[in-house]
């Protein structure tokens, strides 16, 4: 396990990671930082939670700090991200890693007043983290030029494409100077991303950890078959379990998120919704309340959840199954972070068998079926497909000793899986310090 001390990073950066209580490099950091320090382009396949932000920020800060500039700095490094939340989190990481450096950064995204952003641009900045829309907006108004960009990062590229940002990305790429260092990070590597990467990366070094289609081992995953109308009762029941320290409940739509939140509040459960229709202030407040432990339950849609990095989310509830199976993997990745065990429970109603089938195909296994609840709905159990994985199989826990669906005890097959892998759940990396940041 490599330590930060062994890297050729400037001292203020080593001091900063040590202040963050990082001891050893995560696998993505061990692979990506050395080539990035040598100014190579990098194509990274890694999801949030693997330490990828430090993997690209540390070398960039190293280069920015080492280079002499004359006059006011102006966007020497540009990081594009799909969502406001992710942009804000990268901004926080910059503040942590750059705390002993004299570098300025700015996070820009839409939905908030642009006045402070413009004022900061006038004062000069070294690094900008931006969502594509607001960036192009500011450029269109003449507040931004890209002449000084030496480093360009496209983060969560797959999500960018999913969200329809491809044209914006192309427009931005056309405006960047020819000579620059490029990085592309993506949780998945479909053909579209490989094509995009080849359009702007030069002989990239490929680094890869934790492909999205392999779900993280330490997450216990179960499915509960339930009628649509009973989902809210089942959720209330499960949230009543003291083991649910903090949870994210996923819905497919913004409307659904509002409905679930309202319903929980009515039942006396403190919950906050986070989705694209909420104002930026409301989203950040909800996230801050959740991170601080004031709100135990966050109700989120897929897009809003991307990049949420909160330590110690004990449970993820898939109130609605996602119609895009990759989203399931992103969702459950919110729990079981940094070596902790997490529990992910999927609710599947009569109309969602296809989604369940696709998810199980993607992750390459059947979810354990949890029958120990009074809302079990046999009609929601998928009919076995001929010669194919039915999706409803898995190992059924025999109804016997009642066990709360949200409790931490394992079902038979997950115990067997753990036995096969040596009996313990493998942390994504060891030596993690308890900085409490995130
Ligand atoms: P990321 O994948 O960049 O979102 O990082 C996930 C979490 O891991 C963040 O809370 C980081 O502060 C934390 N982290 C990143 N690198 C390390 C490391 N080498 N050791 C311990 N924690 C880390």
């Amino acid at each position: 396990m490599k330590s930060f001390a062994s890297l050729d990073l400037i001292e203020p950066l080593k001091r900063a990671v040590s202040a963050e209580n990082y001891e050893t490099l995560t696998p993505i950091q061990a692979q990506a930082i050395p080539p990035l320090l040598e100014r190579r382009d990098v194509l990274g396949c890694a999801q949030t939670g693997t330490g990828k932000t430090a993997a690209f920020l540390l070398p960039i800060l190293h280069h920015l700090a080492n280079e002499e500039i004359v006059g006011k700095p102006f966007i020497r490094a540009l990081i594009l991200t799909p969502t406001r939340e992710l942009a804000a989190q990268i901004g926080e990481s910059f503040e942590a890693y750059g705390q002993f450096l004299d570098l300025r950064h700015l996070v820009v995204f839409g939905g908030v007043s642009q006045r402070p952003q413009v004022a900061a641009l006038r004062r000069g900045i070294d690094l900008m983290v931006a969502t594509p829309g607001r960036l192009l907006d500011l450029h269109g108004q003449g507040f931004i030029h890209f002449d000084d960009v030496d480093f360009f990062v496209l983060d969560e590229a797959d999500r960018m494409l999913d969200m329809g940002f491809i044209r914006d990305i192309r427009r931005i790429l056309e405006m960047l100077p020819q000579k620059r260092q490029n990085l592309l990070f993506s949780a998945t590597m479909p053909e579209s991303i490989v094509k995009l990467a080849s359009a702007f990366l030069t002989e990239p070094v490929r680094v890869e950890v934790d492909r999205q289609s392999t779900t993280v081992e330490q997450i216990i995953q179960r499915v509960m078959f339930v009628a649509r109308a009973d989902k809210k009762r089942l959720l209330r029941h499960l949230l009543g379990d003291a083991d649910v320290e903090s949870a994210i409940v996923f819905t497919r739509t913004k409307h659904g998120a509002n409905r679930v939140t309202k319903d929980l509040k009515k039942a006396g459960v403190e919950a906050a919704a986070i989705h694209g229709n909420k104002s930026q202030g409301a989203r950040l407040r909800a996230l801050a309340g959740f991170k601080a432990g004031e709100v135990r339950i966050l109700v989120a849609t897929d897009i809003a959840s991307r990049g949420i990095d909160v330590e110690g989310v004990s449970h993820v509830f898939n109130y609605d199954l996602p119609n895009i199976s990759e989203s399931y993997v992103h969702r459950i990745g919110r729990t079981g972070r940094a070596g902790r065990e997490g529990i992910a429970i999927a609710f599947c109603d009569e109309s969602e068998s296809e989604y369940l089938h696709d998810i199980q195909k993607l992750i390459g296994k059947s979810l354990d079926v949890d029958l120990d609840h009074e809302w079990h709905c046999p009609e929601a159990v998928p009919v076995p497909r001929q010669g194919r994985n039915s999706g409803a199989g898995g190992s059924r826990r025999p109804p016997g000793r009642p066990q709360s669906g949200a409790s931490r005890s394992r079902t038979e097959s997950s115990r067997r899986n753990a036995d096969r892998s040596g009996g313990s759940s493998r942390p994504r990396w060891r030596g993690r310090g308890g900085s409490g940041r995130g």
Side-chain angles (χ1 to χ4, degrees):
M1 202 69 65
K2 246 174 122 177
S3 74
F4 282 94
S6 68
L7 289 177
D8 199 14
L9 281 174
I10 51 173
E11 188 278 332
L13 288 173
K14 287 188 179 167
R15 200 158 13 120
V17 289
S18 153
E20 289 296 297
N21 289 325
Y22 297 179
E23 287 159 15
T24 52
L25 298 169
T26 68
I28 195 76
Q29 291 163 359
Q31 291 178 54
I33 294 176
L36 287 173
L37 285 175
E38 287 170 19
R39 296 198 174 259
R40 296 282 309 268
D41 281 7
V42 163
L43 173 62
C45 191
Q47 62 191 98
T48 309
T50 54
K52 73 177 162 72
T53 315
F56 66 73
L57 269 187
L58 291 172
I60 290 179
L61 296 188
H62 172 95
H63 292 312
L64 289 178
N66 270 345
E67 261 153 39
E68 295 266 336
I69 55 156
V70 186
K72 259 194 282 187
F74 199 79
I75 319 185
R76 301 158 66 202
L78 176 64
I79 299 169
L80 273 193
T81 76
T83 65
R84 310 155 180 198
E85 282 74 20
L86 191 63
Q89 274 179 13
I90 295 174
E92 283 173 24
S93 298
F94 174 95
E95 279 162 19
Y97 307 144
Q99 59 183 304
F100 302 116
L101 292 171
D102 188 21
L103 293 173
R104 296 188 207 162
H105 81 296
L106 178 65
V107 180
V108 304
F109 42 69
V112 292
S113 159
Q114 75 168 35
R115 287 246 302 276
Q117 300 177 355
V118 171
L121 284 168
R122 292 216 170 97
R123 286 193 296 273
I125 53 161
D126 296 283
L127 179 139
M128 178 181 260
V129 189
T131 53
R134 175 58 64 94
L135 184 71
L136 285 170
D137 232 22
L138 289 169
H139 178 266
Q141 297 174 64
F143 292 119
I144 282 184
H145 68 79
F146 298 108
D147 301 352
D148 298 340
V149 174
D150 280 333
F151 306 96
F152 174 67
V153 182
L154 192 63
D155 195 20
E156 309 232 336
D158 52 351
R159 183 48 60 130
M160 291 265 203
L161 298 198
D162 286 352
M163 289 170 72
F165 283 136
I166 186 70
R167 282 184 52 198
D168 287 351
I169 294 169
R170 289 223 178 91
R171 273 185 64 199
I172 293 163
L173 279 170
E174 275 167 22
M175 293 190 271
L176 300 181
Q178 286 295 317
K179 204 171 151 303
R180 52 171 207 267
Q181 189 178 5
N182 297 291
L183 288 81
L184 184 153
F185 275 89
S186 186
T188 54
M189 270 305 148
E191 197 45 43
S192 52
I193 298 291
V194 176
K195 211 169 129 200
L196 175 66
S198 65
F200 76 96
L201 298 176
T202 312
E203 296 175 15
V205 176
R206 282 193 72 130
V207 299
E208 184 173 351
V209 293
D210 264 355
R211 260 183 184 286
Q212 277 287 294
S213 50
T214 54
T215 20
V216 217
E217 283 164 30
Q218 68 264 35
I219 300 173
I220 296 169
Q221 302 174 56
R222 296 190 199 134
V223 58
M224 292 180 157
F225 294 107
V226 54
R228 171 137 284 268
D230 285 332
K231 281 188 175 180
K232 57 182 182 203
R233 279 176 278 274
L234 177 59
L235 181 68
R236 282 204 302 257
H237 166 74
L238 295 175
L239 293 181
D241 189 319
D243 274 346
V244 182
E245 291 157 20
S246 64
I248 305 182
V249 178
F250 283 99
T251 61
R252 208 153 38 225
T253 63
K254 300 165 191 170
H255 195 64
N258 283 339
R259 228 180 17 238
V260 170
T261 312
K262 217 168 116 195
D263 194 67
L264 288 176
K265 282 186 174 163
K266 229 166 74 190
V269 181
E270 202 42 59
I274 171 166
H275 57 67
N277 270 9
K278 294 262 170 191
S279 74
Q280 181 55 19
R283 286 160 73 167
L284 292 177
R285 263 197 311 282
L287 199 56
F290 186 65
K291 279 188 180 185
E294 290 154 14
V295 179
R296 192 169 62 109
I297 314 298
L298 198 63
V299 186
T301 55
D302 288 303
I303 286 180
S305 82
R306 229 347 171 57
I308 293 180
D309 177 28
V310 186
E311 293 199 23
V313 175
S314 63
H315 290 69
V316 163
F317 293 94
N318 283 294
Y319 190 88
D320 299 316
L321 287 185
N323 48 352
I324 301 165
S325 18
E326 279 82 8
S327 297
Y328 173 81
V329 185
H330 290 307
R331 288 177 177 191
I332 70 161
R334 311 296 101 199
T335 182
R337 306 184 71 104
R340 284 166 185 255
E341 187 177 73
I343 295 179
I345 296 178
F347 292 180
C348 179
D349 70 28
E350 316 83 282
S351 68
E352 294 176 310
S353 336
E354 274 304 313
Y355 300 156
L356 180 66
H357 171 78
D358 292 347
I359 288 165
Q360 298 187 133
K361 204 166 137 198
L362 176 77
I363 64 172
K365 67 172 188 179
S366 298
L367 301 185
D368 287 334
V369 179
D370 194 330
L371 296 165
D372 290 331
H373 58 100
E374 58 183 284
W375 297 277
H376 176 69
C377 170
E379 291 76 35
V381 179
V383 182
R385 296 171 181 231
Q386 285 258 292
R388 276 203 261 172
N389 179 354
S390 75
S395 66
R396 290 174 180 239
R397 183 140 43 79
R401 193 170 61 84
Q403 177 191 27
S404 160
S407 81
R408 278 177 183 273
S409 52
R410 297 175 177 215
T411 52
E412 278 308 312
S413 85
S414 59
R415 202 178 296 128
R416 270 202 309 275
N417 286 340
D419 288 347
R420 235 178 276 138
S421 65
S424 65
S425 48
R426 179 179 58 83
R428 278 199 200 128
W429 66 80
R430 288 210 305 268
R432 183 189 164 75
S435 73
R437 228 183 53 76

